[in-house]
């Protein structure tokens, strides 16, 4: 690729400067060359070289306003705000209409969390700048810092009105719309933007994402198609299109899209995992398991990969293998309530009741307050003969489900088991009131209690039908 004259001169200046550093021979550069060199090193994250270039630059051009403003930028970068402010005031006395003064003053205010003042200064910069897009972008960022999303959105839109190609502004506009839960408004805006800039693959991709967000999957796929026509190596668009195809249960087409992402880049564990899930939905168990295994080979620390294999073997009712893999997932994330619930369920199927009880306990400990989790846990505690612990667990569950007959029937049965008849009758009365017909819970879980004449009489007495 042929470089422009400007790029060639820029590269030549850099080479000349770096050669000078190696030889310790002082060469002359004009002030603009120095500015480019300094900003290059700052962008590259090499502040030491930038400072060295600035020192030489100010020795050669002590009165250059441009270099002094670069010096201000470096002082702000180093959090030397007072010194930077003093230097800015000196420059202001010489060039009060230089927009960079107001931009740097705004930068200082922003660092001090004085975002409203920063916006005021940037609005002054708008009067003097030739680069309106950059200043509108900066104003938008200040509004983001203040959580004023509507004003931020409008600033980024103004930026795009000046510079249609500003991709960061486009992303920020969409972000603001989404944060404000204005997906339909965002779709309308992006369509208007596309009318002006129809070959923007980024805009088509964002339009696809927005359609996906409101579950308009067909429209999303169409938008992603345009993005990939414009850029046939747009990995993100292929990935998002595959997800939309999955939602429409077009699993074969989704697989092709995921495979395209693998062709474009190294295989990702996410793509391999989704391919496996698609094959499983298609009933192709061999390919499903093959891709799940590829997933964990690609990323052994991806817990979702191990869980996919766990769920695969659970569906095959191969619980011993499922247990091996759920243990691998828990080895990566041992605070995941869903993994602990799987662990408990698998152990229950293997008749490993103490391990199952431990699993349900950990699931609740990490925030699983689903009714079935409490009930499975309690039923295992009862099976293990831990009646008191089961009662305490049910009382805890009743705080989340105060009017749940399944909880009340179990409390009644357990209190009967430990001969606390008054409490047992109280909970049985509650249970019968909430759902009389579900007294079979007592019959199924507490057959010894069920056969008592007193219990039968109490149920008959409470029969309102």
């Amino acid at each position: 690729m042929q470089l422009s004259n400007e790029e060639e001169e820029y590269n030549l200046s850099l080479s000349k400067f770096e050669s000078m550093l190696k030889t310790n021979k002082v060469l002359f550069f004009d002030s603009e060359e120095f500015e480019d060199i300094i900003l290059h090193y700052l962008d590259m994250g090499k502040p030491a070289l930038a400072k060295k270039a600035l020192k030489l630059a100010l020795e050669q051009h002590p009165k250059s306003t441009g270099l002094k403003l670069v010096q201000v930028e470096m002082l702000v970068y180093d959090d030397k705000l007072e010194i930077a402010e003093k230097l800015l005031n000196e420059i202001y006395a010489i060039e009060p209409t230089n927009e960079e003064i107001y931009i740097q003053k705004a930068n200082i205010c922003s660092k001090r969390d004085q975002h409203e003042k920063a916006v005021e200064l940037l609005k002054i910069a708008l009067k003097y700048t030739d680069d309106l897009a950059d200043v509108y972008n900066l104003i938008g960022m200040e509004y983001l810092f203040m959580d004023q999303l509507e004003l931020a959105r409008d600033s980024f839109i103004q930026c795009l009105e000046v510079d249609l190609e500003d991709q960061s502004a486009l992303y920020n506009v969409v972000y603001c719309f989404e944060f404000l839960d204005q997906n339909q408004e965002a779709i309308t805006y992006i369509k208007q933007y596309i009318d002006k800039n129809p070959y923007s693959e980024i805009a088509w991709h964002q339009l696809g994402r927005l359609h996906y967000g409101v579950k308009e999957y067909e429209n999303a796929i169409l938008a992603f198609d345009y993005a990939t026509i414009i850029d046939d190596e747009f990995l993100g668009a292929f990935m998002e299109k595959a997800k939309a195809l999955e939602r429409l249960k077009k699993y074969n087409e989704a697989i092709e899209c995921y495979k395209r992402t693998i062709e474009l880049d190294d295989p990702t564990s996410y793509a391999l995992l989704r391919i496996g899930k698609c094959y499983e939905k298609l009933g192709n168990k061999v390919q499903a398991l093959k891709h799940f295994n590829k997933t964990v080979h690609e990323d052994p620390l991806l817990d979702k990969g191990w869980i996919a294999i766990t769920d695969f073997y659970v569906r095959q009712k191969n619980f011993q293998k499922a247990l091996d893999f759920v243990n691998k997932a828990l080895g990566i994330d041992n605070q995941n309530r869903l993994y602990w619930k799987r662990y408990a369920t698998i152990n229950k199927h293997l008749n490993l009741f103490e391990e199952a009880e431990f699993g349900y306990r950990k699931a609740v400990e990490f925030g699983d307050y689903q009714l079935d989790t409490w009930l499975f846990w309690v039923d295992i505690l009862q099976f293990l003969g831990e009646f008191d612990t089961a009662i305490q667990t049910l009382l805890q569950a009743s705080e989340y489900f105060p009017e749940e007959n399944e909880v009340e029937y179990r409390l009644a049965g357990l209190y009967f088991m430990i001969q606390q008849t008054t409490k047992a009758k109280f909970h049985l009365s509650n249970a019968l009131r909430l759902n009389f017909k579900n007294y079979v819970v007592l019959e199924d879980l507490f057959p010894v209690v069920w056969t008592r004449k007193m219990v039968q009489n109490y149920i008959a007495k409470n029969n309102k039908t």
Side-chain angles (χ1 to χ4, degrees):
M1 187 177 75
Q2 198 168 2
L3 296 174
S4 67
N5 287 340
E6 199 173 306
E7 286 172 316
E8 281 183 7
E9 285 175 17
Y10 174 69
N11 289 335
L12 190 63
S13 296
L14 275 174
S15 301
K16 184 176 154 188
F17 180 76
E18 287 178 3
S19 171
M20 182 184 77
L21 290 179
K22 289 173 187 171
T23 60
N24 287 323
K25 184 180 176 183
V26 178
L27 301 173
F28 180 82
F29 297 83
D30 67 38
S31 61
E32 286 185 6
E33 278 184 293
F34 266 126
E35 282 181 47
D36 289 339
I37 291 164
I38 295 160
L39 292 173
H40 167 78
Y41 286 128
L42 282 177
D43 290 341
M44 294 291 289
K46 296 178 178 178
L49 281 172
K51 285 174 184 175
K52 191 174 281 190
L54 178 64
K55 183 174 180 295
L56 285 166
L58 288 170
E59 285 171 3
Q60 290 187 12
H61 305 281
K63 293 184 180 179
S64 167
T65 303
L67 286 170
K68 285 179 181 177
L69 284 166
V70 172
Q71 185 180 12
V72 168
E73 193 171 333
M74 290 179 67
L75 287 166
V76 173
Y77 178 84
D78 288 336
D79 280 327
K80 295 176 179 176
L81 304 184
E82 289 77 14
I83 302 170
E85 203 165 29
K86 186 180 175 186
L87 185 53
L88 274 174
N89 289 333
E90 290 172 10
I91 301 167
Y92 174 79
I94 302 164
E95 286 189 34
T97 60
N98 188 320
E99 79 275 9
E100 195 63 32
I101 295 169
Y102 301 98
I103 290 169
Q104 289 305 328
K105 281 192 171 188
N107 195 6
I108 291 169
C109 288
S110 187
K111 284 228 169 192
R112 290 171 172 162
D113 290 330
Q114 298 170 343
H115 301 295
E116 288 183 10
K117 193 173 177 185
V119 169
E120 289 174 18
L121 288 160
L122 289 167
K123 284 180 177 177
I124 296 171
L126 281 173
K127 297 174 186 176
Y128 303 117
T129 188
D130 292 327
D131 191 355
L132 289 167
D134 185 48
V135 179
Y136 279 127
N137 234 330
L138 292 170
I139 291 171
M141 293 308 296
E142 292 304 318
Y143 281 130
L144 281 183
F145 290 137
M146 291 188 277
D147 290 328
Q148 294 185 19
L149 275 295
E150 291 191 354
L151 290 171
R153 177 201 63 202
D154 294 344
S155 295
F156 293 127
I157 287 172
Q158 284 177 297
C159 170
L160 287 167
E161 284 172 3
V162 178
D163 180 6
L164 270 178
E165 301 297 331
D166 193 318
Q167 292 183 3
S168 67
L170 184 59
Y171 281 120
N172 282 327
V173 167
V174 175
Y175 168 80
C176 291
F177 273 121
E178 287 184 310
F179 194 91
L180 291 163
D181 200 21
Q182 297 175 341
N183 281 50
Q184 289 299 344
E185 291 90 335
I187 288 169
T188 301
Y189 173 77
I190 293 293
K191 284 180 176 177
Q192 291 168 352
Y193 175 89
I194 286 170
D195 286 341
K196 298 175 192 171
N197 191 9
Y199 298 107
S200 168
E201 71 275 21
I202 301 297
W204 283 110
H205 177 244
Q206 291 301 303
L207 182 61
R209 280 187 58 258
L210 289 162
H211 279 305
Y212 185 94
V214 293
K215 300 182 179 180
E216 295 173 355
Y217 301 121
E218 294 281 6
N219 288 334
I221 290 165
L222 190 61
F224 293 135
D225 275 337
Y226 278 114
T228 56
I229 288 167
I230 296 164
D231 179 359
D232 63 0
E233 294 188 355
F234 196 159
L235 190 146
F238 281 109
M239 190 71 82
E240 299 280 356
K241 181 183 172 184
K243 286 162 61 179
L245 287 164
E246 264 197 88
R247 291 287 186 177
L248 293 172
K249 300 183 179 179
K250 296 181 177 180
Y251 300 116
N252 282 313
E253 291 175 59
I255 288 167
E256 289 309 308
C257 271
Y258 284 127
K259 284 183 175 178
R260 178 68 178 133
T261 69
I262 292 170
E263 289 169 12
L264 291 170
D265 200 358
D266 292 334
T268 64
S269 54
Y270 177 81
L272 292 166
L273 178 62
R274 296 317 312 168
I275 291 170
K277 295 263 188 188
C278 288
Y279 274 124
E280 192 171 16
K281 291 279 173 58
L282 290 167
N284 190 334
K285 294 173 187 174
V286 173
Q287 283 296 329
L289 188 56
K290 178 183 172 182
H291 282 85
F292 291 148
N293 284 324
K294 280 185 177 181
T295 301
V296 294
H297 176 76
E298 187 66 34
D299 184 359
L301 294 177
L302 182 72
D303 45 318
K304 288 184 175 67
W306 297 112
I307 282 296
I309 302 174
T310 301
D311 292 343
F312 176 87
Y313 281 119
V314 165
R315 283 187 278 272
Q316 307 309 309
K317 301 194 184 306
N318 188 338
F319 297 108
Q320 191 57 61
K321 276 199 171 183
L323 182 60
D324 293 339
F325 291 107
V326 79
N327 277 324
K328 288 183 183 290
L330 283 167
I332 297 163
D333 182 1
N334 68 356
Q335 295 187 9
N336 189 308
R337 62 184 184 273
L338 300 176
Y339 297 176
W340 280 115
K341 190 169 183 175
R342 282 177 174 84
Y343 172 86
T345 305
I346 292 163
N347 276 296
K348 187 171 71 168
H349 280 292
L350 292 168
N351 295 323
L352 300 170
F353 296 108
E354 288 186 2
E355 289 83 352
E357 186 277 325
F358 178 74
Y360 286 124
R361 176 154 38 100
K362 296 296 280 185
V364 170
E365 181 184 322
F366 290 118
D368 183 351
Y369 304 131
Q370 296 293 313
L371 178 63
D372 66 336
T373 307
W374 291 104
L375 299 181
F376 286 141
W377 183 15
V378 166
D379 291 347
I380 286 178
L381 284 168
Q382 180 205 334
F383 179 84
L384 294 170
E386 297 181 24
F387 300 140
D388 288 332
T389 306
I391 288 169
Q392 291 308 311
T393 302
L394 280 169
L395 291 172
Q396 194 180 346
S398 68
E399 294 175 15
Y400 297 92
F401 302 96
E403 293 283 288
E404 178 50 60
N405 72 87
E406 293 265 10
V407 172
E408 295 296 321
Y409 276 118
R410 282 169 172 79
L411 278 168
L414 287 161
Y415 277 124
F416 275 125
M417 293 292 286
I418 62 171
Q419 309 302 321
Q420 292 196 22
T421 307
T422 304
K423 288 183 178 180
K425 286 181 177 179
F426 170 78
H427 287 288
L428 181 55
S429 176
N430 279 344
L432 293 166
R433 171 180 61 81
L434 291 166
N435 188 336
F436 181 83
K437 290 180 181 177
N438 211 23
Y439 61 71
V440 290
V441 170
L442 207 61
E443 184 179 2
D444 292 342
L445 296 178
F446 303 92
V448 175
V449 170
W450 174 255
T451 55
R452 292 185 192 175
K453 190 163 186 177
M454 176 184 68
V455 172
Q456 289 295 321
N457 289 340
Y458 197 79
I459 291 172
K461 184 179 168 184
N462 281 272
N463 188 352
K464 307 296 185 192
T465 59

